Amino acid sequence: MSLQDLMIHLWGLYERRNRIFLPSLSARINFLNVGIGNLQDAIRKNGDVEKALASVVARIFCVANHFWKLPLIDFMVRKYPAGICTYCHKGSCQCPERRIDPVLISDSDSEQLSWSLREWCKSMKEIYGKRNELKGLENCLNRLFKEISELLQLTMKIPENDLSLTKMEEEFSLELADTLAWTIAIANLLNIDLEAAVIKNYGNGCHNCHNDPCECTQSAF
Ligand SMILES: [Zn+2]
Ligand SMILES: [Zn+2]
């Protein structure tokens, strides 16, 4: 299954529930933030890390689903092209501590658009695996939390900057692509098959209520 299809599956699974309980963008970003906190707890306390990672992926898609057909995967392809680091352009990332701003590729590669989450994980491991191993798991978790503040900053910019709808969608797609990339980095560092974890928890309906679409009430999540 392509990552795009996986995202659409999760949108279908949780849209009904999320429209009721998480109607605002900030509520969804908060929901993602709590999910990352749960992941940190699971890592520290030897909990179910696979489930917590799968939940972070589901919550990233929940934020994306606040928008109308957000082009998240297109921006994943533009920001993270196959075979090279988007910042230093090396096959195995050798970025300095402070990275320069990335240059987005203009056309998204059609083959990469059909990549499964597993293919994404493999590619990201080849490019960023060594650097992330050197910098450690704590660094990846910090970077994932930092993405939340970037999402919130973007939310606060909306009324100030009067961005066009397309520009707004692009900026949120880019931030969510980064969030997904750091989630993948953590799964790779822990040698967890992220796609298998997502399918296990969400492939056959909601892992909690077992319905598709989910019928969990607020107390259940
Ligand atoms: Zn690099
Ligand atoms: Zn449910």
Side-chain angles (χ1 to χ4, degrees), residues 43-188:
I43 290 170
R44 283 192 182 151
K45 297 173 185 164
N46 264 326
D48 193 340
V49 178
E50 282 185 25
K51 188 173 177 182
L53 269 167
S55 165
V56 170
V57 174
R59 291 173 190 218
I60 291 169
F61 292 159
C62 166
V63 178
N65 195 212
H66 177 76
F67 298 85
W68 183 69
K69 298 179 182 175
L70 197 77
L72 168 56
I73 312 304
D74 301 66
F75 276 83
M76 196 68 192
V77 174
R78 288 183 62 188
K79 176 99 190 251
Y80 298 101
I84 54 161
C85 168
T86 190
Y87 302 91
C88 67
H89 304 284
K90 303 243 164 50
S92 177
C93 171
Q94 290 166 30
C95 280
E97 183 61 34
R98 287 188 69 84
R99 279 171 159 161
I100 48 155
D101 286 341
V103 181
L104 291 191
I105 57 164
S106 51
D107 270 323
S108 37
D109 178 316
S110 59
E111 194 218 336
Q112 235 183 313
L113 282 170
S114 64
W115 276 7
S116 65
L117 181 53
R118 189 168 290 125
E119 286 170 296
W120 274 106
C121 290
K122 185 170 173 278
S123 171
M124 302 287 248
K125 188 165 202 158
E126 282 162 10
I127 301 168
Y128 301 104
K130 276 217 176 78
R131 185 175 196 265
N132 287 336
E133 242 167 72
L134 275 172
K135 305 205 78 171
L137 188 57
E138 275 304 308
N139 173 67
C140 283
L141 267 170
N142 287 340
R143 297 304 299 261
L144 189 51
F145 274 117
K146 175 74 168 41
E147 291 304 330
I148 294 293
S149 69
E150 289 179 15
L151 282 165
L152 289 172
Q153 270 176 346
L154 203 50
T155 310
M156 288 164 71
K157 258 171 63 179
I158 293 176
E160 288 167 18
N161 290 19
D162 195 24
L163 299 173
S164 73
L165 298 192
T166 303
K167 187 73 191 146
M168 204 187 297
E169 287 161 353
E170 285 179 8
E171 293 212 9
F172 273 97
S173 296
L174 271 177
E175 288 305 341
L176 287 173
D178 288 345
T179 313
L180 193 53
W182 285 113
T183 309
I184 289 172
I186 292 170
N188 281 341

